Structures are given as C-alpha cells and as structure tokens.
Amino acid sequence: MAKSTHTTQFEPLASESLTPWLSISQPVFHWWMEQSVKGVQPLMNVQLAWLESVSSAIQMEMEFCQAIAESHEKITNCLLMHHHSPKSAEEITDCYQQAMQGLSEAHLDRLKKVTELSNDFRSALWEEI
C-alpha cells in the first residue's frame, strides 16, 4: 500500500475564510512572517511591547488598590483611634473628606497613567510596523 506524499502548505489565515478587514491586512501579516524568518522577529517584538504594556497596567492597578487600602486605613483609624471618646460629626466628615481626597487624586493619577500607557503602546507598535 502506497503512502500519499501529498503536501500542502498550511495557511491558518487563508483569505477565503477571513473577514474583509482581516483579509486586507494579509500583506502586512505575510511581511511580518517573512521578517520573522529572516531573524528580525517583528511579531515577537510587538508581543513583547504588548506584554510590557499589560505589566504596566497591572502595576498601575496594584498602586490604585494600595491607595484604596490606605484610604480605608485612614477612615478606620479616624473612627477607631480613640474609641473611648465619641467623635463629632464634623471630625468624622473631615476625616472622610481627607481620605476621599487622597483616593480621588490616586484615581486621577491612574487615569493619566492609563492614557500615557495607551500612547506608549501605540508608539511601540508603530515602531515595530
């Protein structure tokens, strides 16, 4: 019994099975693949830029979680620091406002960093293209 030696090139992104917007990008994709074979590896560099972006985003979220924890700590200390003496409504309000001011500043800083992160990622992506 003879074995078939029929070999076809596997193309995971065959044009007939793609949506129109993805089939338009095929020349760029094939160029990247050619460059990858040559050793420049633009796909790996794009993936590295993406992973660095994700890492920065996770770090920013952890910094914001830390700001939330610090805000809760301030409120807790304000309410429980001198539990034997009752706090006035004014003192509690002032303490709460200080804690929320810190949290608001952290959130605004977070939004600023997210915007910068998006711009940095786009720049890194276009450098690779």
Side-chain angles (χ1 to χ4, degrees):
M1 192 171 352
K3 257 189 180 179
S4 173
T5 58
H6 182 308
T7 59
T8 59
Q9 188 173 5
F10 175 68
E11 293 194 30
L13 297 176
S15 297
E16 59 273 0
S17 66
L18 299 175
T19 59
W21 59 269
L22 190 55
S23 64
I24 290 171
S25 65
Q26 286 303 297
V28 173
F29 178 75
H30 287 292
W31 175 80
W32 268 348
M33 293 305 290
E34 288 172 8
Q35 296 303 313
S36 170
V37 171
K38 293 178 185 176
V40 177
Q41 301 178 348
L43 286 176
M44 291 178 71
N45 292 338
V46 168
Q47 185 176 17
L48 179 61
W50 179 77
L51 289 172
E52 288 172 353
S53 178
V54 169
S55 175
S56 295
I58 290 171
Q59 181 179 355
M60 286 186 302
E61 288 302 306
M62 293 308 298
E63 289 171 1
F64 184 64
C65 287
Q66 181 179 359
I68 292 171
E70 289 171 359
S71 173
H72 285 231
E73 181 181 16
K74 286 178 185 177
I75 292 171
T76 302
N77 284 339
C78 181
L79 295 174
L80 300 178
M81 188 66 119
H82 300 96
H83 54 79
H84 59 277
S85 63
K87 300 270 188 210
S88 70
E90 185 177 299
E91 289 174 327
I92 292 172
T93 301
D94 185 50
C95 185
Y96 181 78
Q97 286 177 345
Q98 288 178 3
M100 289 303 105
Q101 180 65 35
L103 191 57
S104 295
E105 289 171 4
H107 181 61
L108 290 175
D109 186 46
R110 174 184 178 216
L111 292 177
K112 179 182 155 200
K113 287 179 180 178
V114 166
T115 303
E116 291 171 358
L117 181 65
S118 176
N119 291 334
D120 292 345
F121 176 67
R122 281 185 268 178
S123 296
L125 183 62
W126 279 111
E127 284 177 17
E128 293 306 322
I129 291 177

